[in-house]
């Protein structure tokens, strides 16, 4: 219970910061990929709705 936390060395902190920056960059890329997929799905949904309306008007 009396363990004191140690401050990591500058080298270890620099490595951790570099890893965190890389993870952040990768997460940003995945978020952009998800945004692109979401835009594609929204466009497909709009087109599907247009076709349904056209089909209903043709009946």
């Amino acid at each position: 219970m009396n363990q004191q936390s140690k401050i990591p060395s500058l080298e270890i902190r620099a490595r951790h910061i570099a890893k965190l920056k890389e993870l952040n960059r990768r997460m940003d890329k995945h978020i952009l990929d998800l945004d692109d997929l979401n835009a594609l799905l929204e466009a497909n949904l709009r087109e599907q709705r247009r076709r349904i309306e056209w089909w209903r008007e043709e009946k």
Side-chain angles (χ1 to χ4, degrees):
M1 288 298 262
N2 207 4
Q3 294 176 345
Q4 291 185 348
S5 58
K6 298 178 183 178
I7 297 175
S9 69
L10 287 176
E11 182 181 308
I12 292 172
R13 284 186 277 174
R15 274 199 322 255
H16 288 181
I17 288 170
K19 285 181 183 180
L20 287 171
K21 285 181 179 180
E22 174 61 19
L23 286 172
N24 191 40
R25 186 194 66 76
R26 289 170 53 193
M27 287 172 43
D28 285 345
K29 183 192 177 309
H30 291 305
I31 289 169
L32 288 173
D33 290 342
L34 288 171
D35 285 344
D36 290 344
L37 177 60
N38 190 45
L40 179 64
L41 291 172
E42 286 177 354
N44 287 342
L45 182 59
R46 281 192 303 274
E47 180 61 27
Q48 185 180 26
R49 287 178 179 160
R50 282 189 199 114
R51 288 181 185 194
I52 289 171
E53 284 303 313
W54 175 83
W55 183 76
R56 285 180 181 163
E57 291 173 1
E58 291 294 314
K59 275 188 145 182

